[in-house]
Amino acid sequence: MVDPQVITSADDKALPWRSQAGIPVRNLWLLLAYASGLARFLDPVGTEVDEDAELPDVLGRVLVAAVERRLRRGLSRGYEVRLAALNRVRGRIDWLSTETAQLLSKGKIACRYDDLTHDTPRNRLIVAALLAAGKTVKSRELARQSLGYAQMLVDVGVTPVRPSRFEMSRERFGRNDEHDEVVVRTAELILDMKLPSENAGDGRISRLDHDEILLRQIFEKAVAGFYLLELHGRDGWKVRKQPVVDWHGTEATDGLRSILPNMHPDVVLEKYASRRIVMDTKFTGIVKPRRHGGMGLKSAHIYQIYSYIRSQAGYDDVLADQAEGILLHPAIDGTLDEAVTIQGHRIRFVTVDLAAEASVIQERLREIVLVPV
């Protein structure tokens, strides 16, 4: 196998995006598409992505295109609960507000009612994202389009204020409004992921030390999103993202529960009655320099995956007793794929080359799970 190209920093982190080659913009878009759920609606390989474009412009272009398509179909509306002092009863009477404000003496009554409006949480989120995109994209034409569509939504009554996470958690997408979901997912990416820019002209990610946490999250969510979309519900496969794994401990002291960390492997994949794969992703180099020379796997990562699988064995669960473990790392222009069986569990140490073609990355992720070593 060829060792992946990585640069090891002083704090023992091998950061693959620091290589001279870097991650192509198209491949970061691929990760973003799977991480956000956009891959359900857009072809992350076939989507046109200018390799000289910066990521805010890539997402801004997707957002504008999705908003255009949504406006052609008609902007969605929803019911919002209103409280107002009216001259006639509408909905339910709010007697407390009526008495407190002495509205009856003024010929009015406080009512709570459902109002059909464009000013819904999802539309407010879209306006907030359009305004943010208009300020951050490099393309003047794209900025003009973003701000123009934002003004159109404001003109029909949408408040240009981002809704709270609680409000968005109550949003549900049915079969008839899946196009809204595309817009919302893109808007969330623009607002939540403070996306880095690339150096002018090379179209590849570099100088991203300050966005290390962001890229770790994107990679972790992208891997889980890929398997949920590609495998879950197909050929007997079931995919779970970050399930809680029980330590199966006994006779614990009173204070242990508050300090014992929970176990949350990134992805658990099961094929009906035959295989269980526990996968953990790490956005670092898979190997590091050894004290006395050479390169070696990182012991802490091995201990972690070993704990995930061995803590579940011995409890009358055949799949747990023979569960496989996979440690998945990114790499640049290289591949590592090694495996060992420890106490009946096959543990695999693999990389996916983020400098490869997007279709090659997809095939590699499939192969890692579907082709045992």
Side-chain angles (χ1 to χ4, degrees):
M1 296 297 177
V2 180
D3 285 342
Q5 178 183 334
V6 294
I7 302 296
T8 304
S9 64
D11 61 354
D12 192 36
K13 293 176 181 175
L15 307 179
W17 68 85
R18 288 182 179 170
S19 71
Q20 184 176 0
I23 305 172
V25 172
R26 178 179 292 277
N27 290 351
L28 188 50
W29 159 245
L30 178 82
L31 296 179
L32 287 166
Y34 282 111
S36 66
L38 282 174
R40 292 172 51 200
F41 311 103
L42 304 174
D43 178 2
V45 176
T47 301
E48 293 185 4
V49 180
D50 185 354
E51 282 293 342
D52 292 326
E54 297 190 0
L55 250 297
D57 288 66
V58 175
L59 278 178
R61 198 154 59 235
V62 173
L63 178 65
V64 165
V67 170
E68 285 179 345
R69 181 171 57 180
R70 195 65 191 96
L71 289 175
R72 286 197 297 268
R73 297 172 60 89
L75 187 64
S76 62
R77 296 192 294 176
Y79 286 99
E80 293 284 296
V81 177
R82 307 290 190 193
L83 173 61
L86 305 176
N87 295 322
R88 59 184 179 83
V89 175
R90 182 178 178 183
R92 294 182 299 174
I93 299 174
D94 188 327
W95 288 110
L96 179 60
S97 298
T98 299
E99 294 295 330
T100 301
Q102 298 182 340
L103 294 177
L104 290 177
S105 63
K106 304 172 186 178
K108 294 187 176 182
I109 191 167
C111 299
R112 290 184 183 274
Y113 57 94
D114 292 330
D115 185 29
L116 188 61
T117 176
H118 290 300
D119 193 22
T120 61
R122 67 177 65 171
N123 287 338
R124 292 199 293 273
L125 184 84
I126 294 168
V127 169
L130 286 168
L131 292 173
K135 297 176 182 178
T136 58
V137 297
K138 293 290 185 67
S139 167
R140 292 184 179 180
E141 175 61 20
L142 184 58
R144 184 191 65 78
Q145 290 177 313
S146 299
L147 296 176
Y149 282 127
Q151 187 60 53
M152 287 178 59
L153 269 62
V154 170
D155 289 344
V156 298
V158 181
T159 305
V161 176
R162 183 179 182 177
S164 67
R165 294 189 181 278
F166 174 74
E167 288 179 293
M168 290 307 302
S169 69
R170 299 169 63 185
E171 289 289 300
R172 297 292 181 269
F173 297 94
R175 181 178 302 174
N176 296 326
D177 57 1
E178 67 176 18
H179 293 287
D180 266 8
E181 189 171 0
V182 178
V183 188
V184 168
R185 298 304 178 215
T186 310
E188 288 175 337
L189 272 178
I190 290 174
L191 292 170
D192 291 341
M193 297 184 177
K194 298 177 181 178
L195 293 171
S197 298
E198 301 82 38
N199 287 336
D202 69 359
R204 291 174 180 268
I205 302 302
S206 59
R207 299 180 183 176
L208 294 180
D209 296 354
H210 61 290
D211 288 298
E212 178 183 338
I213 295 176
L214 169 61
L215 288 174
R216 290 176 189 275
Q217 293 173 343
I218 291 174
F219 182 67
E220 175 187 308
K221 291 180 179 180
V223 171
F226 175 84
Y227 289 120
L228 282 167
L229 180 61
E230 296 289 331
L231 286 186
H232 187 70
R234 301 183 183 184
D235 299 324
W237 282 99
K238 177 182 177 182
V239 180
R240 292 178 291 157
K241 182 172 66 174
Q242 287 197 324
V244 177
V245 177
D246 192 353
W247 283 100
H248 293 297
T250 60
E251 301 180 11
T253 54
D254 294 339
L256 183 68
R257 183 175 296 276
S258 63
I259 61 174
L260 184 67
N262 292 324
M263 291 191 291
H264 296 278
D266 291 332
V267 190
V268 174
L269 307 98
E270 292 184 6
K271 186 171 178 60
Y272 180 72
S274 61
R275 294 180 70 194
R276 178 176 298 164
I277 303 171
V278 180
M279 179 180 292
D280 212 44
T281 59
K282 304 292 183 185
F283 200 80
T284 66
I286 194 168
V287 294
K288 69 175 183 178
R290 286 175 169 163
R291 182 176 303 176
H292 302 294
M295 304 292 286
L297 296 168
K298 298 178 180 179
S299 57
H301 296 170
I302 301 174
Y303 301 154
Q304 186 175 15
I305 194 69
Y306 178 81
S307 297
Y308 287 159
I309 56 180
R310 280 303 297 167
S311 63
Q312 307 308 297
Y315 291 93
D316 296 324
D317 184 342
V318 175
L319 292 185
D321 291 342
Q322 58 189 24
E324 305 163 46
I326 294 178
L327 274 173
L328 176 63
H329 294 245
I332 298 295
D333 297 327
T335 301
L336 186 146
D337 193 341
E338 305 292 349
V340 63
T341 299
I342 301 176
Q343 293 179 289
H345 300 279
R346 193 66 170 166
I347 301 179
R348 192 172 174 186
F349 308 93
V350 295
T351 61
V352 56
D353 184 357
L354 296 185
E357 292 292 327
S359 59
V360 174
I361 293 175
Q362 292 176 310
E363 184 57 34
R364 174 63 171 159
L365 290 174
R366 294 189 193 97
E367 178 190 58
I368 287 170
V369 168
L370 299 179
V371 182
V373 172

